[in-house]
Amino acid sequence: MDILINDIIEQLQEIQNGKIWIGSSFESKLNTVNDALVFVRPIADMHSIAEIISHLTLWRNEALLKIKTGKGSKTDDCEENWLTNETLKAKGWTRIKSEYDNTLTQLIALLKEKDDTFLKEEYYDTDFKGNYQYRFLLHGMLHHDIYHLGQLGLVIKYLK
């Protein structure tokens, strides 16, 4: 039985589009805004919805790379970490959201090929400059998603 890996997959799915204890998933939050609002920064120092979703996509792509190759390529200070609204507007919300959704689909498909022993295998993390178990990466992805789900909630509250 692969209880641990299946639990991580379930949590990733629930945070994105399930009914979670904290009340709102990414899907339920994003369904409350129209495309015109996603590039608006409600306060100068606050990220837009598009910036947050793009940021999450970068790190999910990075997780995919680490799982596939055993090594990442990005660090927290890389340019792609927080793309500007101008860059994101040129890309368009439909593409940004599609890329975000696609990375979740890819991550879940990849994790379904793994078993619980995978979580103890190690990869090299370019951002933390060391070897870590994949459980560190996947739990970190969950923590990262939940953190930014809360941030998204605040952004949406300010926009309305």
Side-chain angles (χ1 to χ4, degrees), residues 81-160:
N81 193 18
W82 289 105
L83 294 174
T84 66
N85 267 324
E86 292 71 33
T87 300
L88 294 171
K89 283 178 188 176
K91 194 176 211 181
W93 176 243
T94 301
R95 184 170 165 205
I96 293 165
K97 180 67 168 63
S98 176
E99 289 174 355
Y100 173 77
D101 292 338
N102 188 40
T103 59
L104 179 65
T105 301
Q106 288 179 54
L107 181 58
I108 289 170
L110 191 55
L111 293 178
K112 284 183 177 181
E113 298 172 1
K114 308 294 183 185
D115 60 26
D116 284 354
T117 61
F118 167 75
L119 297 172
K120 291 186 179 182
E121 292 176 20
E122 291 188 350
Y123 71 97
Y124 181 79
D125 195 295
T126 48
D127 204 24
F128 291 109
K129 296 177 182 34
N131 290 321
Y132 293 85
Q133 292 182 348
Y134 281 105
R135 70 175 292 284
F136 176 75
L137 171 67
L138 294 171
H139 288 174
M141 292 302 296
L142 288 166
H143 302 158
H144 189 241
D145 280 0
I146 292 168
Y147 171 83
H148 286 296
L149 177 57
Q151 184 182 27
L152 192 65
L154 289 172
V155 169
I156 291 170
K157 183 175 183 170
Y158 274 95
L159 288 172
K160 294 183 171 199

Coordinates of all heavy atoms in Angstrom, one line a residue, residues 81-160:
N81 N 10.7 33.9 -11.1 CA 10.0 33.6 -9.8 C 8.7 34.5 -9.7 O 7.7 34.1 -9.2 CB 10.9 33.8 -8.6 CG 10.3 33.2 -7.4 OD1 9.4 32.5 -7.3 ND2 10.9 33.7 -6.2
W82 N 8.9 35.8 -10.0 CA 7.8 36.7 -9.9 C 7.8 37.6 -11.2 O 8.4 38.6 -11.2 CB 7.9 37.6 -8.7 CG 7.6 36.9 -7.4 CD1 8.5 36.5 -6.4 CD2 6.3 36.5 -6.9 NE1 7.9 35.9 -5.4 CE2 6.5 35.9 -5.7 CE3 5.0 36.6 -7.4 CZ2 5.5 35.3 -4.9 CZ3 4.0 36.1 -6.7 CH2 4.2 35.4 -5.5
L83 N 7.1 37.1 -12.2 CA 7.0 37.8 -13.5 C 6.2 39.1 -13.2 O 5.3 39.1 -12.4 CB 6.4 36.9 -14.5 CG 7.3 35.8 -15.0 CD1 6.5 34.9 -16.0 CD2 8.6 36.2 -15.6
T84 N 6.5 40.1 -14.0 CA 5.7 41.3 -13.9 C 4.3 41.2 -14.5 O 4.1 40.3 -15.4 CB 6.4 42.5 -14.6 OG1 6.4 42.2 -16.0 CG2 7.8 42.7 -14.1
N85 N 3.4 42.0 -14.1 CA 2.1 42.0 -14.6 C 2.1 42.3 -16.1 O 1.3 41.7 -16.9 CB 1.2 43.0 -13.9 CG 0.4 42.4 -12.8 OD1 0.0 41.2 -12.9 ND2 0.2 43.1 -11.8
E86 N 3.0 43.2 -16.6 CA 3.2 43.5 -18.0 C 3.5 42.2 -18.8 O 2.9 42.0 -19.8 CB 4.2 44.6 -18.2 CG 3.8 46.0 -17.7 CD 3.8 46.0 -16.1 OE1 4.6 45.4 -15.5 OE2 2.9 46.8 -15.6
T87 N 4.5 41.5 -18.3 CA 4.9 40.2 -19.0 C 3.7 39.2 -19.0 O 3.4 38.6 -20.0 CB 6.1 39.6 -18.2 OG1 7.2 40.5 -18.3 CG2 6.5 38.3 -18.9
L88 N 3.0 39.2 -17.9 CA 1.9 38.2 -17.7 C 0.7 38.6 -18.6 O 0.0 37.8 -19.2 CB 1.5 38.1 -16.3 CG 2.6 37.4 -15.4 CD1 2.2 37.5 -13.9 CD2 2.8 36.0 -15.8
K89 N 0.4 39.9 -18.7 CA -0.7 40.4 -19.6 C -0.4 40.0 -21.0 O -1.3 39.6 -21.7 CB -0.8 41.9 -19.5 CG -1.5 42.4 -18.2 CD -1.5 43.9 -18.2 CE -2.0 44.4 -16.9 NZ -2.0 45.9 -16.7
A90 N 0.8 40.1 -21.4 CA 1.2 39.7 -22.8 C 0.9 38.2 -23.0 O 0.6 37.7 -24.1 CB 2.6 40.0 -23.1
K91 N 1.1 37.4 -22.0 CA 0.9 36.0 -22.0 C -0.6 35.7 -22.0 O -1.1 34.7 -22.7 CB 1.6 35.3 -20.8 CG 1.7 33.8 -20.9 CD 2.4 33.4 -19.6 CE 3.2 32.1 -20.0 NZ 4.0 31.6 -18.8
G92 N -1.4 36.4 -21.3 CA -2.8 36.2 -21.2 C -3.2 35.3 -20.1 O -2.6 34.3 -19.8
W93 N -4.4 35.6 -19.5 CA -4.9 34.9 -18.3 C -5.2 33.4 -18.7 O -4.9 32.5 -18.0 CB -6.1 35.6 -17.7 CG -6.7 34.7 -16.6 CD1 -7.9 34.2 -16.6 CD2 -6.1 34.3 -15.4 NE1 -8.2 33.5 -15.4 CE2 -7.0 33.6 -14.6 CE3 -4.8 34.5 -14.8 CZ2 -6.7 33.0 -13.4 CZ3 -4.5 33.9 -13.6 CH2 -5.5 33.2 -12.9
T94 N -5.8 33.2 -19.9 CA -6.2 31.9 -20.3 C -5.0 31.0 -20.3 O -5.0 29.8 -19.8 CB -6.9 31.9 -21.6 OG1 -8.1 32.7 -21.5 CG2 -7.3 30.5 -22.1
R95 N -3.9 31.4 -20.9 CA -2.7 30.6 -21.0 C -2.1 30.4 -19.6 O -1.6 29.3 -19.3 CB -1.7 31.3 -21.9 CG -0.5 30.5 -22.1 CD 0.4 31.0 -23.3 NE 1.7 30.5 -23.2 CZ 2.8 31.0 -23.7 NH1 2.7 32.2 -24.3 NH2 4.0 30.5 -23.6
I96 N -2.0 31.5 -18.8 CA -1.5 31.4 -17.4 C -2.2 30.3 -16.6 O -1.6 29.4 -16.0 CB -1.5 32.7 -16.7 CG1 -0.6 33.7 -17.4 CG2 -1.2 32.6 -15.2 CD1 -0.8 35.2 -17.0
K97 N -3.5 30.4 -16.7 CA -4.4 29.4 -15.9 C -4.2 28.0 -16.5 O -4.2 27.1 -15.7 CB -5.8 29.9 -15.9 CG -6.8 29.0 -15.2 CD -6.5 29.1 -13.7 CE -7.6 28.4 -12.9 NZ -7.9 27.0 -13.1
S98 N -4.2 27.9 -17.8 CA -4.0 26.6 -18.4 C -2.7 25.9 -18.0 O -2.6 24.8 -17.7 CB -4.1 26.8 -19.9 OG -3.9 25.5 -20.5
E99 N -1.6 26.7 -18.0 CA -0.3 26.2 -17.6 C -0.3 25.8 -16.2 O 0.2 24.7 -15.8 CB 0.8 27.2 -17.9 CG 1.1 27.5 -19.4 CD 2.0 28.6 -19.6 OE1 2.4 29.3 -18.7 OE2 2.4 28.8 -20.8
Y100 N -1.0 26.5 -15.4 CA -1.1 26.2 -13.9 C -1.8 24.9 -13.8 O -1.3 24.0 -13.1 CB -1.8 27.4 -13.2 CG -2.2 27.1 -11.8 CD1 -1.2 27.1 -10.8 CD2 -3.5 26.8 -11.4 CE1 -1.5 26.9 -9.5 CE2 -3.8 26.6 -10.1 CZ -2.8 26.6 -9.1 OH -3.1 26.4 -7.8
D101 N -3.0 24.8 -14.4 CA -3.8 23.5 -14.3 C -3.0 22.3 -14.8 O -3.0 21.2 -14.3 CB -5.1 23.7 -15.0 CG -6.0 24.7 -14.4 OD1 -5.9 24.9 -13.2 OD2 -6.9 25.2 -15.1
N102 N -2.3 22.5 -15.9 CA -1.5 21.5 -16.6 C -0.4 21.0 -15.7 O -0.2 19.7 -15.6 CB -1.0 21.9 -17.9 CG -0.3 20.8 -18.7 OD1 -0.9 19.7 -18.8 ND2 0.8 21.1 -19.3
T103 N 0.2 21.9 -14.9 CA 1.3 21.4 -14.0 C 0.8 20.5 -12.9 O 1.4 19.6 -12.5 CB 2.1 22.6 -13.4 OG1 1.2 23.4 -12.7 CG2 2.9 23.3 -14.5
L104 N -0.5 20.8 -12.4 CA -1.1 19.9 -11.4 C -1.4 18.5 -12.0 O -1.1 17.5 -11.4 CB -2.3 20.5 -10.9 CG -3.0 19.7 -9.8 CD1 -2.2 19.5 -8.6 CD2 -4.4 20.3 -9.5
T105 N -1.9 18.5 -13.2 CA -2.2 17.3 -13.9 C -0.9 16.4 -14.1 O -0.9 15.2 -13.8 CB -2.9 17.5 -15.3 OG1 -4.1 18.3 -15.0 CG2 -3.2 16.2 -16.0
Q106 N 0.1 17.1 -14.5 CA 1.4 16.4 -14.7 C 2.0 15.9 -13.4 O 2.5 14.8 -13.3 CB 2.4 17.4 -15.4 CG 2.2 17.7 -16.8 CD 3.2 18.6 -17.3 OE1 4.4 18.4 -17.2 NE2 2.8 19.8 -17.8
L107 N 1.9 16.7 -12.4 CA 2.5 16.3 -11.1 C 1.8 15.1 -10.5 O 2.4 14.1 -10.1 CB 2.5 17.5 -10.1 CG 3.0 17.2 -8.7 CD1 4.5 16.8 -8.8 CD2 2.9 18.5 -7.8
I108 N 0.4 15.1 -10.6 CA -0.3 14.0 -10.0 C -0.1 12.8 -10.9 O 0.1 11.7 -10.3 CB -1.8 14.4 -10.0 CG1 -2.0 15.4 -8.9 CG2 -2.7 13.2 -9.8 CD1 -3.4 16.1 -8.8
A109 N 0.0 12.9 -12.2 CA 0.3 11.7 -13.0 C 1.6 11.1 -12.7 O 1.8 9.9 -12.6 CB 0.2 12.1 -14.5
L110 N 2.6 12.0 -12.5 CA 4.0 11.5 -12.1 C 4.0 10.8 -10.8 O 4.6 9.8 -10.6 CB 4.9 12.7 -12.2 CG 6.4 12.4 -12.1 CD1 6.8 11.4 -13.2 CD2 7.2 13.7 -12.3
L111 N 3.3 11.4 -9.8 CA 3.3 10.9 -8.5 C 2.5 9.5 -8.4 O 2.8 8.7 -7.6 CB 2.7 11.8 -7.5 CG 3.5 13.1 -7.2 CD1 2.8 14.0 -6.2 CD2 4.9 12.7 -6.7
K112 N 1.5 9.4 -9.3 CA 0.8 8.1 -9.3 C 1.7 6.9 -9.8 O 1.3 5.8 -9.5 CB -0.5 8.2 -10.2 CG -1.6 9.0 -9.5 CD -2.8 9.0 -10.4 CE -3.9 9.8 -9.7 NZ -5.2 9.8 -10.5
E113 N 2.8 7.2 -10.4 CA 3.7 6.2 -10.8 C 4.7 5.8 -9.7 O 5.5 4.9 -9.8 CB 4.6 6.7 -12.0 CG 3.8 7.0 -13.3 CD 4.6 7.7 -14.3 OE1 5.8 7.9 -14.1 OE2 4.1 8.1 -15.4
K114 N 4.7 6.6 -8.6 CA 5.6 6.4 -7.5 C 4.9 5.6 -6.4 O 3.7 5.5 -6.3 CB 6.1 7.7 -7.0 CG 6.7 8.6 -8.0 CD 7.9 8.1 -8.6 CE 8.5 9.1 -9.6 NZ 9.6 8.6 -10.3
D115 N 5.8 5.1 -5.5 CA 5.3 4.5 -4.2 C 5.9 5.2 -3.0 O 6.7 6.1 -3.2 CB 5.5 2.9 -4.2 CG 7.0 2.6 -4.3 OD1 7.9 3.4 -3.9 OD2 7.4 1.5 -4.8
D116 N 5.5 4.7 -1.9 CA 6.0 5.4 -0.6 C 7.5 5.4 -0.5 O 8.0 6.4 0.1 CB 5.3 4.8 0.6 CG 3.8 5.2 0.8 OD1 3.4 6.0 0.0 OD2 3.2 4.6 1.7
T117 N 8.2 4.4 -1.0 CA 9.6 4.4 -0.9 C 10.3 5.6 -1.6 O 11.3 6.1 -1.3 CB 10.2 3.1 -1.5 OG1 9.9 3.0 -2.8 CG2 9.7 1.9 -0.7
F118 N 9.6 6.1 -2.7 CA 10.1 7.3 -3.4 C 10.3 8.5 -2.5 O 11.2 9.3 -2.7 CB 9.1 7.6 -4.5 CG 9.3 9.0 -5.1 CD1 10.4 9.2 -6.0 CD2 8.5 10.0 -4.9 CE1 10.6 10.4 -6.6 CE2 8.7 11.3 -5.4 CZ 9.7 11.5 -6.3
L119 N 9.4 8.6 -1.5 CA 9.5 9.8 -0.6 C 10.8 9.9 0.2 O 11.2 11.0 0.6 CB 8.3 9.8 0.3 CG 6.9 9.9 -0.3 CD1 5.8 9.7 0.7 CD2 6.7 11.2 -1.1
K120 N 11.5 8.8 0.3 CA 12.8 8.8 1.0 C 13.9 8.9 0.1 O 15.1 9.1 0.5 CB 12.9 7.5 1.9 CG 11.9 7.5 3.0 CD 12.2 6.3 3.9 CE 11.2 6.3 5.1 NZ 11.4 5.2 6.0
E121 N 13.7 8.8 -1.2 CA 14.8 9.0 -2.2 C 15.2 10.5 -2.1 O 14.4 11.4 -1.7 CB 14.3 8.6 -3.6 CG 14.1 7.2 -3.8 CD 13.6 6.8 -5.1 OE1 13.7 7.6 -6.1 OE2 13.0 5.7 -5.3
E122 N 16.4 10.8 -2.6 CA 16.9 12.2 -2.5 C 17.1 12.8 -3.9 O 17.3 12.1 -4.9 CB 18.2 12.2 -1.8 CG 18.1 11.9 -0.3 CD 19.3 12.1 0.5 OE1 20.4 12.3 -0.1 OE2 19.3 12.1 1.7
Y123 N 17.0 14.1 -3.9 CA 17.2 14.9 -5.1 C 18.1 16.1 -4.6 O 18.3 16.3 -3.4 CB 15.9 15.5 -5.6 CG 15.3 16.6 -4.8 CD1 15.5 17.9 -5.0 CD2 14.5 16.2 -3.7 CE1 14.9 18.9 -4.2 CE2 14.0 17.2 -2.8 CZ 14.2 18.5 -3.1 OH 13.6 19.5 -2.3
Y124 N 18.8 16.8 -5.5 CA 19.6 17.9 -5.2 C 18.7 19.2 -5.4 O 18.1 19.4 -6.5 CB 20.8 18.0 -6.1 CG 21.7 19.2 -5.7 CD1 22.5 19.2 -4.6 CD2 21.6 20.4 -6.4 CE1 23.2 20.3 -4.2 CE2 22.3 21.5 -6.0 CZ 23.1 21.5 -4.9 OH 23.9 22.6 -4.5
D125 N 18.6 20.0 -4.4 CA 17.8 21.2 -4.4 C 18.8 22.4 -4.6 O 19.6 22.7 -3.8 CB 17.1 21.4 -3.1 CG 16.0 22.4 -3.2 OD1 16.3 23.6 -3.4 OD2 14.8 22.0 -3.1
T126 N 18.6 23.0 -5.8 CA 19.5 24.2 -6.2 C 19.2 25.4 -5.3 O 20.1 26.2 -5.1 CB 19.3 24.5 -7.7 OG1 17.9 24.7 -7.9 CG2 19.9 23.5 -8.6
D127 N 18.0 25.5 -4.8 CA 17.7 26.7 -4.0 C 18.3 26.5 -2.6 O 18.8 27.4 -2.0 CB 16.2 26.9 -3.9 CG 15.8 28.3 -3.6 OD1 16.6 29.2 -3.8 OD2 14.7 28.5 -3.1
F128 N 18.1 25.3 -2.0 CA 18.6 25.1 -0.6 C 20.1 24.5 -0.6 O 20.7 24.3 0.4 CB 17.7 24.1 0.1 CG 16.4 24.7 0.4 CD1 15.2 24.2 -0.3 CD2 16.2 25.7 1.4 CE1 14.0 24.8 0.0 CE2 15.0 26.2 1.7 CZ 13.9 25.8 1.0
K129 N 20.6 24.3 -1.8 CA 22.0 23.9 -2.0 C 22.3 22.6 -1.2 O 23.3 22.6 -0.4 CB 22.9 25.0 -1.7 CG 22.8 26.1 -2.7 CD 23.7 27.3 -2.3 CE 23.5 28.5 -3.2 NZ 22.3 28.8 -3.8
G130 N 21.6 21.6 -1.4 CA 21.8 20.3 -0.7 C 20.9 19.2 -1.2 O 20.0 19.4 -2.0
N131 N 21.2 18.0 -0.7 CA 20.3 16.9 -1.0 C 19.2 16.8 0.0 O 19.4 16.9 1.2 CB 21.1 15.6 -1.0 CG 22.1 15.5 -2.2 OD1 21.7 15.9 -3.3 ND2 23.3 15.0 -1.9
Y132 N 18.0 16.5 -0.5 CA 16.8 16.4 0.4 C 16.0 15.2 -0.1 O 16.0 14.9 -1.3 CB 16.0 17.7 0.3 CG 16.7 18.9 1.0 CD1 17.6 19.6 0.2 CD2 16.5 19.2 2.3 CE1 18.3 20.7 0.8 CE2 17.2 20.3 2.9 CZ 18.0 21.0 2.1 OH 18.7 22.1 2.7
Q133 N 15.2 14.7 0.8 CA 14.2 13.6 0.4 C 13.1 14.3 -0.3 O 12.7 15.4 -0.1 CB 13.7 12.9 1.7 CG 14.8 12.1 2.4 CD 14.2 11.3 3.6 OE1 13.1 11.6 4.0 NE2 15.0 10.4 4.1
Y134 N 12.5 13.5 -1.2 CA 11.3 14.0 -2.0 C 10.2 14.3 -1.1 O 9.3 15.2 -1.4 CB 10.9 13.0 -3.1 CG 11.8 13.1 -4.3 CD1 12.8 12.1 -4.5 CD2 11.7 14.1 -5.1 CE1 13.6 12.2 -5.6 CE2 12.6 14.2 -6.3 CZ 13.5 13.2 -6.5 OH 14.3 13.3 -7.6
R135 N 10.1 13.7 0.1 CA 9.0 14.1 1.0 C 9.1 15.6 1.4 O 8.1 16.3 1.6 CB 8.9 13.2 2.2 CG 10.1 13.3 3.2 CD 9.9 12.5 4.5 NE 8.9 13.0 5.3 CZ 8.9 14.1 6.1 NH1 10.0 14.8 6.2 NH2 7.8 14.4 6.9
F136 N 10.3 16.1 1.5 CA 10.6 17.5 1.8 C 10.0 18.3 0.7 O 9.3 19.3 0.9 CB 12.1 17.7 2.0 CG 12.5 19.1 2.2 CD1 12.3 19.8 3.4 CD2 13.1 19.9 1.2 CE1 12.6 21.1 3.6 CE2 13.5 21.2 1.4 CZ 13.2 21.8 2.6
L137 N 10.3 18.0 -0.5 CA 9.8 18.7 -1.7 C 8.3 18.7 -1.7 O 7.7 19.7 -1.9 CB 10.4 18.1 -3.0 CG 9.8 18.6 -4.3 CD1 10.2 20.1 -4.5 CD2 10.3 17.8 -5.4
L138 N 7.7 17.5 -1.6 CA 6.2 17.4 -1.8 C 5.5 18.1 -0.6 O 4.4 18.7 -0.8 CB 5.8 16.0 -2.0 CG 6.4 15.4 -3.3 CD1 6.2 13.9 -3.4 CD2 5.8 16.1 -4.5
H139 N 6.0 17.9 0.6 CA 5.3 18.6 1.7 C 5.5 20.1 1.5 O 4.6 20.9 1.8 CB 5.9 18.1 3.0 CG 5.5 16.8 3.4 ND1 6.0 16.1 4.5 CD2 4.6 15.9 2.9 CE1 5.4 14.9 4.6 NE2 4.6 14.8 3.6
G140 N 6.7 20.5 1.0 CA 6.9 21.9 0.8 C 6.0 22.5 -0.3 O 5.5 23.6 -0.1
M141 N 5.7 21.7 -1.3 CA 4.7 22.1 -2.3 C 3.3 22.3 -1.7 O 2.6 23.3 -2.0 CB 4.7 21.1 -3.5 CG 5.9 21.0 -4.3 SD 6.4 22.6 -5.0 CE 5.1 22.9 -6.1
L142 N 2.9 21.4 -0.8 CA 1.6 21.6 -0.2 C 1.6 22.8 0.7 O 0.7 23.6 0.7 CB 1.3 20.3 0.7 CG 1.0 19.1 -0.1 CD1 1.0 17.9 0.9 CD2 -0.4 19.2 -0.7
H143 N 2.7 23.0 1.5 CA 2.8 24.2 2.3 C 2.7 25.5 1.5 O 2.0 26.5 1.8 CB 4.0 24.2 3.2 CG 4.2 23.0 4.0 ND1 5.4 22.6 4.5 CD2 3.3 22.1 4.5 CE1 5.2 21.5 5.2 NE2 3.9 21.2 5.3
H144 N 3.5 25.5 0.4 CA 3.5 26.6 -0.5 C 2.2 26.9 -1.1 O 1.8 28.1 -1.2 CB 4.6 26.3 -1.6 CG 4.9 27.4 -2.5 ND1 4.7 27.4 -3.8 CD2 5.5 28.6 -2.2 CE1 5.2 28.6 -4.4 NE2 5.7 29.3 -3.4
D145 N 1.5 25.9 -1.6 CA 0.1 26.1 -2.1 C -0.8 26.7 -1.1 O -1.5 27.6 -1.4 CB -0.4 24.8 -2.6 CG 0.1 24.4 -4.0 OD1 0.9 25.1 -4.6 OD2 -0.3 23.3 -4.5
I146 N -0.8 26.2 0.1 CA -1.7 26.7 1.1 C -1.4 28.1 1.5 O -2.3 28.9 1.7 CB -1.7 25.7 2.4 CG1 -2.3 24.4 2.0 CG2 -2.4 26.4 3.6 CD1 -2.1 23.3 3.0
Y147 N -0.1 28.4 1.6 CA 0.3 29.8 1.9 C -0.2 30.7 0.9 O -0.8 31.8 1.2 CB 1.9 29.9 2.0 CG 2.4 31.3 2.0 CD1 2.4 31.9 3.3 CD2 2.7 32.0 0.9 CE1 2.9 33.3 3.3 CE2 3.2 33.3 0.9 CZ 3.2 33.9 2.2 OH 3.7 35.2 2.3
H148 N -0.1 30.4 -0.4 CA -0.5 31.3 -1.5 C -2.0 31.3 -1.7 O -2.6 32.2 -2.2 CB 0.3 31.0 -2.8 CG 1.7 31.5 -2.7 ND1 2.0 32.9 -2.6 CD2 2.9 30.9 -2.7 CE1 3.3 33.0 -2.5 NE2 3.8 31.8 -2.6
L149 N -2.7 30.2 -1.2 CA -4.1 30.2 -1.2 C -4.6 31.3 -0.3 O -5.6 32.0 -0.6 CB -4.7 28.8 -0.8 CG -6.2 28.7 -0.7 CD1 -6.9 29.0 -2.0 CD2 -6.5 27.2 -0.3
G150 N -4.0 31.4 0.9 CA -4.4 32.4 1.8 C -4.1 33.8 1.3 O -4.9 34.7 1.4
Q151 N -2.9 33.9 0.6 CA -2.6 35.2 0.0 C -3.6 35.6 -1.1 O -4.0 36.7 -1.2 CB -1.2 35.1 -0.6 CG -0.7 36.4 -1.2 CD 0.7 36.2 -1.8 OE1 1.1 35.1 -2.3 NE2 1.5 37.3 -1.9
L152 N -4.0 34.6 -1.9 CA -5.0 34.8 -2.9 C -6.3 35.3 -2.3 O -7.0 36.2 -2.9 CB -5.2 33.5 -3.7 CG -6.0 33.6 -5.0 CD1 -5.2 34.4 -6.0 CD2 -6.2 32.2 -5.5
G153 N -6.7 34.7 -1.2 CA -7.9 35.1 -0.5 C -7.9 36.6 -0.1 O -8.8 37.3 -0.3
L154 N -6.7 37.0 0.4 CA -6.6 38.4 0.8 C -6.6 39.3 -0.5 O -7.3 40.4 -0.4 CB -5.2 38.7 1.5 CG -5.2 38.1 2.9 CD1 -3.8 38.2 3.5 CD2 -6.2 38.8 3.8
V155 N -5.9 39.0 -1.5 CA -5.9 39.8 -2.7 C -7.4 39.9 -3.2 O -7.8 41.0 -3.6 CB -5.0 39.1 -3.8 CG1 -5.2 39.8 -5.2 CG2 -3.6 39.2 -3.4
I156 N -8.1 38.8 -3.3 CA -9.5 38.9 -3.8 C -10.4 39.7 -2.9 O -11.2 40.5 -3.3 CB -10.0 37.4 -4.0 CG1 -9.3 36.8 -5.1 CG2 -11.5 37.4 -4.2 CD1 -9.6 35.3 -5.3
K157 N -10.2 39.6 -1.6 CA -10.9 40.4 -0.6 C -10.7 41.9 -0.9 O -11.6 42.7 -0.9 CB -10.6 40.1 0.8 CG -11.4 40.8 1.8 CD -11.1 40.3 3.2 CE -12.0 41.0 4.2 NZ -11.9 40.5 5.5
Y158 N -9.4 42.3 -1.1 CA -9.1 43.7 -1.4 C -9.7 44.2 -2.7 O -10.1 45.3 -2.9 CB -7.6 43.9 -1.4 CG -7.0 44.2 0.0 CD1 -6.5 43.2 0.8 CD2 -7.1 45.5 0.5 CE1 -6.0 43.5 2.0 CE2 -6.5 45.8 1.8 CZ -6.0 44.8 2.5 OH -5.5 45.0 3.8
L159 N -9.7 43.3 -3.7 CA -10.2 43.6 -5.0 C -11.7 43.9 -5.0 O -12.2 44.6 -5.8 CB -9.9 42.5 -6.1 CG -8.5 42.4 -6.5 CD1 -8.2 41.1 -7.3 CD2 -8.0 43.6 -7.2
K160 N -12.4 43.2 -4.1 CA -13.9 43.4 -4.1 C -14.2 44.4 -3.0 O -15.2 44.9 -2.8 CB -14.5 42.0 -3.7 CG -14.3 41.1 -4.9 CD -15.0 39.8 -4.6 CE -14.9 38.9 -5.9 NZ -15.8 37.9 -6.0

